[in-house]
């Protein structure tokens, strides 16, 4: 008999997440704001009848619901009285903690979604609790209830019996109808900060008598993403993986992480353009068991860290960072410009998806790193132009689109060349025109064909403006009289329209004659296009433009605007004398 008793199996192992589940609010970590609000409510006897708890996985929603159920039904030698002081176990506490109290009903809405399940609750609330002070209904993942179930719960939730309390928990608060939310006191449970989580894990390891390395805990806290349950599950796994100890090496192997110091080495090699060394480092990390997609993600994480430290220097004091991340990250943030960091983030972000879709993840990761290494030290457009023209780099305060003047000797001159986004020719022509004369008594004066086009633009008469530019060629212009030649395909009806518009705008009658001679020369629009093409061709022959196009294969010249110091060399809207050539 004694031998059989000795051979009896021991009690099954209880995972850390269950073993150290908080029993009261003093052991609930990271939710101080909620605990303070509930403490004040209980102290003032202003206890709501319905609560909804929301937050990401593992932050304590179900645990908080059970603690609240204990607080509602606390009873000691002095009798029942709701309280948040649960240091001494009450009469109903043990049964509530173990989930077997008859007056605390827990329901999983993911598997009980229909109206029939809610009807059972509606029917049961009519009966008083059997032994405790309150009948508490805890509905987990409440957002999974159907629309009919939510509607059936509304009336009972708004006016429940005085002995009924509802506690809802959900990870998808946006899926809960507003009609439900408006009847509940809402608490948003936050992610647990790295500082609090690190101290919490250290206390648990101390109680378990397990040695650990701070760097290993930092990796676990980062991977746990603020979830207590995730962190404890990872810690449980790390203890088993390390055979009773928690070391950085075992956690790296368990999580498939590359060495953080080697990740920083890889980042420095990439940002320095040392692609050969970077490929060798990545291959070594891959041979050690690191996943290519994880390596790209680690590089993106470190890029974000360096950028964050550059913007907020205090971010380097985060306790979840390793010493290498803290010190070398701060050093790199002072050396790398924001332009290089944001470009690296974009390349790595896109590369992560490419690695995920590729049949060979290592090859895709290497191509992403090669792209990053070659792009890391690209100069800015201002620096590049300054180098090509042997001029000092422009001051940072200059706008990126500021033109660079080039004379015959390259040191400045009467014209400036600027490569810029294309604009519609009509817009350019209007921008080059002087503003229409100010209206006097709502009437305008027009002294030239050029001013007539500007006036049509100011009046927002697009049809007339386009006709003046594209369908007519001015032959003569004087006050009250215009003679034009119509281009092929022009609308003759625009002559009457133009005459009527002129009388409306200027207050006097205008005679618009159409020449019977065949039109000679070009319209204003055609002149503009021709001049633009000539400027484009001249720009292609410019040594500076050639140097830029040679430096960036595949680049092309989009638009060219040539100006001198006095006036913009744009299409001249004043018609030249017929016997003279256009300049």
């Amino acid at each position: 008999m004694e031998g059989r008793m000795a051979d009896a199996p021991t009690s099954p192992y209880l995972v850390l997440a269950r073993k150290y589940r908080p029993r009261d609010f003093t052991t609930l970590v990271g939710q101080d704001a909620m605990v303070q609000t509930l403490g004040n409510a209980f102290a003032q006897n202003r206890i709501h009848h319905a609560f909804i708890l929301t937050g990401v996985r593992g932050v304590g929603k179900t645990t908080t619901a059970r603690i609240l159920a204990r607080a509602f039904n606390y009873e000691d030698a002095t009798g029942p009285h709701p309280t948040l002081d649960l240091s001494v176990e009450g009469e109903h506490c043990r049964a509530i903690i173990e989930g077997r109290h008859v007056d605390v009903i827990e329901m999983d809405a993911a598997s009980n979604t229909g109206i029939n399940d809610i009807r059972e609750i509606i029917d049961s609330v009519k009966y008083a609790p059997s032994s405790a002070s309150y009948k508490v209904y805890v509905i987990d993942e409440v957002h999974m209830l159907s629309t009919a179930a939510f509607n059936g719960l509304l009336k009972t939730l708004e006016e429940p019996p005085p002995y009924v309390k509802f506690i809802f928990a959900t990870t998808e608060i946006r899926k809960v109808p507003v009609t439900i939310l408006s009847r509940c006191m809402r608490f948003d449970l936050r992610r647990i900060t790295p500082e609090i989580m690190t101290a919490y894990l250290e206390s648990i390891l101390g109680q378990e008598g397990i040695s650990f390395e701070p760097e290993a805990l930092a990796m676990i806290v980062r991977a746990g993403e603020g979830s207590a349950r995730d962190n404890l599950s990872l810690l449980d796994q790390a203890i088993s993986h390390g055979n009773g100890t928690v070391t950085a090496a075992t956690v790296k192997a368990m999580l498939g992480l590359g060495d953080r110091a080697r990740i920083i080495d890889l980042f420095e090699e990439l940002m320095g353009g040392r692609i050969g060394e970077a490929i060798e480092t990545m291959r070594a990390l891959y041979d050690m068991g690191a996943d290519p997609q994880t390596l790209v993600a680690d590089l993106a994480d470190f890029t974000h860290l360096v950028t964050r430290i550059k913007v907020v220097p205090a971010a380097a004091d985060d306790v979840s960072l390793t010493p290498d991340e803290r010190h070398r990250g701060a050093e790199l943030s002072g050396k790398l410009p924001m332009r290089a960091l944001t470009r690296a983030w974009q390349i790595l972000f896109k590369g992560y998806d490419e690695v995920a879709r590729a049949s060979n993840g290592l090859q895709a990761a290497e191509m992403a790193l090669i792209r990053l290494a070659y792009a890391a030290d690209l100069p800015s457009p201002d620096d590049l132009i300054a180098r090509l023209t042997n001029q000092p780099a422009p001051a940072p305060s200059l706008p990126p689109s500021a033109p660079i003047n080039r004379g015959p000797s390259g040191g400045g001159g009467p014209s400036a060349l600027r490569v810029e986004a294309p604009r519609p020719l009509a817009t350019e022509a209007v921008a080059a025109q002087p503003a229409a004369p100010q209206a006097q008594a709502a009437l305008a004066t027009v002294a030239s064909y050029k001013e007539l086009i500007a006036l049509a633009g100011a009046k927002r008469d697009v049809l007339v403006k386009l006709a003046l530019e594209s369908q007519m060629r001015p032959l003569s212009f004087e006050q009250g009289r215009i003679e034009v030649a119509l281009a092929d395909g022009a609308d003759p009806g625009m002559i009457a329209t133009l005459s009527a518009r002129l009388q409306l705008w200027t207050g006097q009658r205008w005679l618009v004659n159409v020449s019977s001679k065949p039109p000679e020369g070009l319209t204003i629009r055609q002149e503009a296009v021709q001049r633009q093409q000539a400027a484009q061709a001249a720009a292609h022959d410019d040594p500076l433009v050639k140097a830029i196009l040679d430096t960036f294969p595949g680049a092309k010249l989009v638009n060219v605007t040539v100006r001198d110091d006095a006036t913009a060399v744009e299409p001249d809207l004043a018609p030249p004398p017929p016997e003279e050539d256009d300049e």
Side-chain angles (χ1 to χ4, degrees):
M1 178 66 69
E2 292 179 1
R4 291 180 180 177
M5 291 292 293
D7 295 336
T10 58
S11 59
Y13 174 70
L14 197 63
V15 297
L16 296 179
R18 294 183 60 190
K19 183 177 181 180
Y20 291 96
R21 168 173 269 176
R23 304 289 180 86
D24 54 43
F25 285 117
T26 61
T27 55
L28 184 68
V29 297
Q31 309 300 338
D32 296 338
M34 179 190 68
V35 173
Q36 180 179 354
T37 302
L38 289 173
N40 295 337
F42 273 73
Q44 300 171 19
N45 196 26
R46 301 174 64 90
I47 306 173
H48 208 275
H49 65 269
F51 301 83
I52 186 163
L53 310 173
T54 180
V56 298
R57 68 195 185 282
V59 293
K61 298 184 294 296
T62 304
T63 297
T64 300
R66 292 179 178 175
I67 297 174
L68 274 175
R70 282 188 63 193
F72 293 146
N73 292 317
Y74 187 79
E75 183 176 351
D76 56 11
T78 62
H81 56 281
T83 180
L84 291 188
D85 184 8
L86 305 174
S87 55
V88 179
E89 193 172 285
E91 180 178 343
H92 306 285
C93 290
R94 175 56 50 185
I96 294 174
I97 291 171
E98 296 176 356
R100 54 182 175 81
H101 198 286
V102 68
D103 291 326
V104 178
I105 301 95
E106 294 190 25
M107 187 183 88
D108 179 20
S111 54
N112 300 275
T113 62
I115 183 62
N116 292 332
D117 302 302
I118 296 301
R119 284 199 183 103
E120 294 181 7
I121 295 178
I122 297 172
D123 294 338
S124 64
V125 298
K126 301 174 183 178
Y127 304 100
S130 59
S131 60
S133 301
Y134 292 95
K135 183 177 283 189
V136 182
Y137 293 90
V138 179
I139 304 180
D140 202 7
E141 300 300 333
V142 69
H143 66 274
M144 300 292 289
L145 290 178
S146 65
T147 302
F150 274 126
N151 292 336
L153 190 61
L154 287 178
K155 187 61 177 179
T156 303
L157 184 62
E158 184 172 13
E159 298 179 358
Y163 50 79
V164 172
K165 301 290 184 184
F166 288 97
I167 306 176
F168 302 139
T170 178
T171 55
E172 301 285 349
I173 191 66
R174 294 183 179 179
K175 295 183 180 179
V176 180
V178 177
T179 50
I180 296 291
L181 295 177
S182 64
R183 290 166 167 80
C184 301
M185 179 177 284
R186 172 176 169 176
F187 291 102
D188 291 81
L189 279 66
R190 308 297 182 186
R191 294 180 186 269
I192 303 174
T193 61
E195 296 82 3
I196 295 176
M197 183 60 70
T198 301
Y200 181 56
L201 297 184
E202 288 177 353
S203 68
I204 290 178
L205 289 172
Q207 297 177 58
E208 293 287 321
I210 296 174
S211 60
F212 65 92
E213 294 179 0
E215 186 178 354
L217 280 191
M219 296 177 187
I220 292 175
V221 169
R222 184 185 294 109
E225 297 180 339
S227 167
R229 184 173 60 239
D230 286 6
N231 276 272
L232 290 176
S233 298
L234 290 172
L235 184 61
D236 231 336
Q237 184 179 353
I239 293 171
S240 300
H241 194 80
N243 195 22
T245 60
V246 181
T247 63
T250 57
V251 172
K252 289 174 189 174
M254 179 187 77
L255 298 177
L257 299 175
D259 190 317
R260 302 303 293 184
R262 298 292 298 277
I263 291 293
I264 301 175
D265 292 339
L266 178 59
F267 179 81
E268 289 181 336
E269 292 162 357
L270 291 170
M271 300 308 289
R274 303 192 300 273
I275 185 59
E277 299 176 22
I279 293 298
E280 292 179 0
T281 302
M282 182 174 187
R283 178 70 67 165
L285 291 171
Y286 177 77
D287 293 339
M288 292 169 56
D291 179 68
Q293 191 174 15
T294 303
L295 289 174
V296 176
D298 288 345
L299 284 171
D301 287 342
F302 188 71
T303 303
H304 170 263
L305 173 64
V306 174
T307 308
R308 192 163 182 262
I309 294 175
K310 190 175 186 68
V311 177
V312 185
D317 300 329
D318 192 339
V319 297
S320 67
L321 301 178
T322 64
D324 282 323
E325 289 175 322
R326 187 176 298 112
H327 300 302
R328 297 175 68 182
E331 181 181 355
L332 287 168
S333 69
K335 293 180 178 179
L336 295 172
M338 185 63 70
R339 183 188 303 110
L341 291 171
T342 54
R343 184 165 52 216
W345 168 263
Q346 292 172 346
I347 293 174
L348 291 169
F349 186 79
K350 182 178 181 181
Y352 182 85
D353 290 336
E354 293 175 353
V355 175
R357 296 193 304 267
S359 58
N360 190 318
L362 180 61
Q363 291 178 357
E366 288 181 348
M367 293 303 296
L369 298 194
I370 291 172
R371 186 162 63 243
L372 172 59
Y374 276 92
D377 59 350
L378 284 178
S380 67
D382 292 342
D383 294 337
L384 179 63
I385 294 176
R387 293 180 192 178
L388 293 174
T389 56
N390 296 321
Q391 295 178 358
S397 58
L398 287 178
S401 61
I404 297 178
N405 293 329
R406 294 186 69 254
S409 61
S415 65
L417 178 144
R418 179 170 63 197
V419 180
E420 58 184 14
R423 294 180 299 169
L425 291 177
T427 305
E428 292 183 357
V430 174
Q433 307 309 315
Q438 295 294 327
Q440 297 179 357
L443 298 178
T445 57
V446 181
S448 66
Y449 196 82
K450 178 179 179 180
E451 291 184 5
L452 176 57
I453 294 178
L455 178 60
K459 296 295 185 179
R460 299 182 181 274
D461 197 322
V462 179
L463 293 178
V464 172
K465 182 176 182 297
L466 290 177
L468 291 170
E469 292 178 344
S470 304
Q471 301 180 19
M472 305 178 190
R473 185 177 187 278
L475 299 180
S476 65
F477 189 100
E478 59 187 50
Q479 192 66 28
R481 184 179 180 278
I482 306 174
E483 185 177 3
V484 297
L486 294 181
D488 293 339
D491 180 13
M494 287 304 301
I495 299 299
T497 302
L498 175 60
S499 180
R501 294 290 192 276
L502 280 170
Q503 183 174 358
L504 176 65
W505 295 338
T506 63
Q508 62 179 353
R509 296 179 61 85
W510 282 74
L511 180 61
V512 182
N513 292 331
V514 178
S515 174
S516 59
K517 298 179 181 180
E520 298 179 0
L522 304 175
T523 64
I524 299 297
R525 176 62 57 85
Q526 291 170 339
E527 289 179 356
V529 172
Q530 189 179 68
R531 192 162 299 179
Q532 185 72 13
Q533 292 173 347
Q536 194 99 354
H540 272 288
D541 296 332
D542 189 281
L544 175 59
V545 176
K546 286 184 176 180
I548 294 175
L549 296 178
D550 292 340
T551 304
F552 298 97
K556 62 181 180 179
L557 192 62
V558 176
N559 191 38
V560 177
T561 301
V562 181
R563 304 177 187 276
D564 58 26
D565 295 336
T567 60
V569 184
E570 297 288 345
D572 190 1
L573 298 185
E579 65 275 11
E580 296 182 7
D581 295 333
D582 292 348
E583 292 184 356

